[in-house]
Amino acid sequence: RDSGFIATHAVLSSRDVDLCLIPEVPMITEGPKSVYRHLRNVVRTKGSAVVVVAEGACQESLGSTNQTDPSGNKVYAEVGSWLKKQIKENFAKHNMECNIRYIDPSYIIRSVPANADDSEYCTLLAQAAVHGAMSGFAAFSAGLVNNRTVMIPITMIGETSPRKQNVGRVWARVI
């Protein structure tokens, strides 16, 4: 949730996206590198623009809610509606027409039926987890590393995250 991992890879696989906002890279709203200026230029050139926004993006502009959900996860301010309003206001300020179609895919991603590969992968992880537990191991998660099923200590999982470095190779491909 604090990472633009899904958004980044969706952008790379789509190739139709003109702007991607992720939590790891602060949104620039003023000056020559402004996201609004970029969107205006894209719309002038192509006639339309596609924007992908990761769940935790733009929170520095929205302010922190300091609330948590029942699972203890931080509750983010609603970025989609806020960004839609900001884009409309910016386009109006520059006398440009703006017609936005906002789609919130948060439940679409989580509601796609599993395919055969997903089922096989889940079975592999489940069997590895049961094998580890029956062997007396605890506080681990089964995973796949370098195409091998492994037991990863929970403490190691908490130390790292898929957060991108805004200078990393994957993010450079998005830009």
Side-chain angles (χ1 to χ4, degrees), residues 19 21 26-42 90-91 93-94:
L19 176 65
L21 299 174
M27 183 174 90
I28 299 171
T29 58
E30 301 291 330
K33 294 186 177 183
S34 158
V35 296
Y36 304 125
R37 182 177 183 163
H38 173 71
L39 285 175
R40 290 192 312 271
N41 290 338
V42 169
N90 186 276
F91 272 58
K93 188 167 79 173
H94 290 87

Side-chain angles (χ1 to χ4, degrees), residues 46-105:
K46 292 175 34 180
S48 65
V50 176
V51 179
V52 171
V53 183
E55 183 177 12
C58 307
Q59 293 301 305
E60 70 279 354
S61 299
L62 290 164
S64 179
T65 63
N66 293 327
Q67 296 175 344
T68 56
D69 64 14
S71 300
N73 296 316
K74 183 177 178 180
V75 174
Y76 290 123
E78 169 47 46
V79 66
S81 303
W82 173 82
L83 188 60
K84 179 179 176 180
K85 180 179 177 238
Q86 297 299 312
I87 292 169
K88 280 187 172 192
E89 288 175 1
N90 186 276
F91 272 58
K93 188 167 79 173
H94 290 87
N95 298 318
M96 288 184 68
E97 186 178 333
C98 183
N99 185 356
I100 299 177
R101 288 166 181 81
Y102 170 56
I103 301 168
D104 182 355

Side-chain angles (χ1 to χ4, degrees), residues 140-157:
F140 74 94
S141 178
L144 205 60
V145 176
N146 295 330
N147 212 24
R148 293 179 184 249
T149 308
V150 296
M151 291 182 288
I152 305 167
I154 295 293
T155 54
M156 283 183 68
I157 293 171

